[in-house]
Amino acid sequence: MSNIVIDRQAAINEPLLPTLEQLTHWVGCVFSHHPDDDRLELTIRFVDEAESQALNRDYRGNDKSTNVLSFPFENPPGVCLPLLGDLIICHAVVAHEAKEQQKPLEHHYAHMVVHGTLHLMGYDHIEEQEAEEMEQLERELLATLNIPDPYHE
């Protein structure tokens, strides 16, 4: 999808961060599953553990760093903007998880971007049924990117 607009922000100096092209490809995979959604703009910000922890604590009530945080944009009444929202990704956590799970870093980043983008589109995994649906969709989307099932033990 050529009309996707991603504001890629790197608040850390890390050479292994995904490129804008990779991010656009992964987000485009999710958008291709929702062709009627016209919210094609989002921010993806790569942060350190301190920023991730502060945001997770202040907005989610969890005082620890995490892999990805999703902040959906809500249009004010009478205003229609194509903004989907913001993804905040902590490189240190993603890199640690990829190593721990013996996955290529690129695959784990793709999963975090797909997972976070689905959250921005309204998917959740609080209830068991929601979790099963979201995880199955993630498996299907990642398979189109030739990435193995991230939930397979």
Side-chain angles (χ1 to χ4, degrees):
M1 296 186 122
S2 59
N3 49 352
I4 296 171
V5 177
I6 296 176
D7 178 14
R8 180 187 180 274
Q9 300 177 0
I12 57 172
N13 185 13
E14 172 54 58
L16 299 177
L17 297 179
T19 65
L20 180 60
E21 291 76 21
Q22 288 173 305
L23 297 173
T24 302
H25 183 63
W26 300 334
V27 169
C29 175
V30 178
F31 286 169
S32 69
H33 187 75
H34 292 275
D36 296 333
D37 198 323
D38 59 355
R39 301 171 298 163
L40 299 175
E41 295 182 22
L42 67 151
T43 296
I44 301 177
R45 179 177 174 85
F46 298 98
V47 302
D48 61 16
E49 287 181 280
E51 186 172 342
S52 175
Q53 181 175 354
L55 290 167
N56 200 21
R57 178 192 63 234
D58 295 349
Y59 291 96
R60 302 289 193 253
N62 296 316
D63 194 12
K64 63 179 184 171
S65 58
T66 189
N67 49 24
V68 62
L69 291 165
S70 303
F71 296 96
F73 176 75
E74 295 182 21
N75 280 313
V79 176
C80 187
L81 297 173
L83 302 177
L84 188 59
D86 300 336
L87 294 182
I88 310 298
I89 301 176
C90 180
H91 173 76
V93 173
V94 172
H96 174 77
E97 289 175 346
K99 183 176 181 180
E100 185 177 75
Q101 298 169 21
Q102 300 179 335
K103 297 177 181 177
L105 181 60
E106 181 179 342
H107 288 186
H108 198 45
Y109 260 121
H111 180 209
M112 293 301 96
V113 170
V114 166
H115 181 88
T117 303
L118 287 172
H119 273 307
L120 293 178
M121 298 180 104
Y123 288 87
D124 215 334
H125 48 78
I126 296 171
E127 302 294 328
E128 186 176 337
Q129 180 65 29
E130 291 176 329
E132 289 175 14
E133 290 174 17
M134 186 172 176
E135 288 175 10
Q136 183 56 36
L137 182 53
E138 288 174 41
R139 286 182 186 99
E140 293 170 11
L141 294 172
L142 292 169
T144 68
L145 299 170
N146 296 314
I147 296 175
D149 178 355
Y151 298 104
H152 180 71
E153 294 292 324

